Amino acid sequence: KNQVEQSPQSLIILEGKNCTLQCNYTVSPFSNLRWYKQDTGRGPVSLTIMTFSENTKSNGRYTATLDADTKQSSLHITASQLSDSASYICVVSPANQAGTALIFGKGTTLSVSS
Amino acid sequence: DSGVTQTPKHLITATGQRVTLRCSPRSGDLSVYWYQQSLDQGLQFLIQYYNGEERAKGNILERFSAQQFPDLHSELNLSSLELGDSALYFCASSSGSPFNEQFFGPGTRLTVL
């Protein structure tokens, strides 16, 4: 069964610190992996999209890595800010599948405190 | 602001009722996706339309249906509502390519009492 597992479920860090969120997936074959940021009660916003052949992708203070051999991805946040408090969702797009159905992880809830 | 609009923002109704959620995609986007997000659950893909035609189906119940109109707006119809249907329903749009970013609307919060 295609699954996307994220860890930790929640995380609290101090403003200015770095953190890394993990994503393990069993989707195979897959087309691309995405990280989204979702503020409470709002729609998700795309941070990065990586194809299976890419190892890393950055978007400002956000850097995503992908290891297709171990089926793992991580999202590293540098110099966290209060506005980084949100849910971060890992999403995998299966290959060889009609349409563009995505498989979502349950997300990691990040709280940044001052 | 993603450019995707959804109405209504909130909806409260009773079990057994039927509701319609509406979505207008970003200008130029041909593809519309519907998702359900229940409390403590991840986003669940329901259905995708591309230029008026159904493109992909996910975990959509038979009590739910959707359509995309010639002006590209989409409606999600939920009938015979149950308590468990209470959730946030998101619409997203993209230009249709598998690698294209999906832009999410603000969601409709449905509460079934």
Side-chain angles (χ1 to χ4, degrees), chain A residues 14-29:
Chain A
L14 287 174
E15 187 180 12
K17 297 296 188 185
N18 304 334
C19 67
T20 300
L21 315 181
Q22 301 290 344
C23 172
N24 294 336
Y25 59 92
T26 60
V27 182
S28 183

Side-chain angles (χ1 to χ4, degrees), chain A residues 31-32 34 36 38 41-47 49 51 89 93 98-107, chain B residues 31 33 35 37 40-45 48 55-56 88 90 96-102 104-106 109:
Chain A
S31 171
N32 58 80
R34 314 166 188 217
Y36 281 87
Q38 184 178 21
R42 306 191 71 164
V45 174
S46 179
L47 294 175
I49 300 177
T51 67
I89 305 171
S93 177
T100 53
L102 303 178
I103 300 174
F104 289 75
K106 291 187 178 181
Chain B
S31 221
Y33 309 77
Y35 295 91
Q37 186 174 39
D40 296 331
Q41 294 292 316
L43 280 149
Q44 298 286 322
F45 167 69
Q48 178 204 356
R55 172 68 69 89
L88 265 169
F90 288 103
S97 161
F99 298 114
N100 267 10
E101 180 178 349
Q102 291 186 22
F104 283 78
R109 182 174 292 281

Side-chain angles (χ1 to χ4, degrees), chain B residues 23-26 28-30 32 50-52 68-74:
Chain B
C23 167
S24 292
R26 290 189 325 152
D29 283 354
L30 300 178
V32 169
Y50 178 81
N51 203 20
Q68 186 178 28
F69 295 87
D71 66 353
L72 300 178
H73 91 271
S74 178

Side-chain angles (χ1 to χ4, degrees), chain A residues 37-109:
Chain A
K37 177 186 178 188
Q38 184 178 21
D39 292 314
T40 302
R42 306 191 71 164
V45 174
S46 179
L47 294 175
T48 63
I49 300 177
M50 290 182 289
T51 67
F52 61 88
S53 60
E54 293 179 289
N55 297 120
T56 186
K57 185 72 73 80
S58 289
N59 178 0
R61 295 180 296 102
Y62 302 101
T63 300
T65 64
L66 174 63
D67 186 335
D69 291 332
T70 62
K71 295 187 172 56
Q72 294 180 323
S73 176
S74 65
L75 180 70
H76 187 74
I77 304 174
T78 304
S80 61
Q81 301 175 358
L82 296 178
S83 59
D84 292 331
S85 295
S87 179
Y88 291 84
I89 305 171
C90 175
V91 186
V92 179
S93 177
N96 304 327
Q97 194 163 320
T100 53
L102 303 178
I103 300 174
F104 289 75
K106 291 187 178 181
T108 291
T109 301

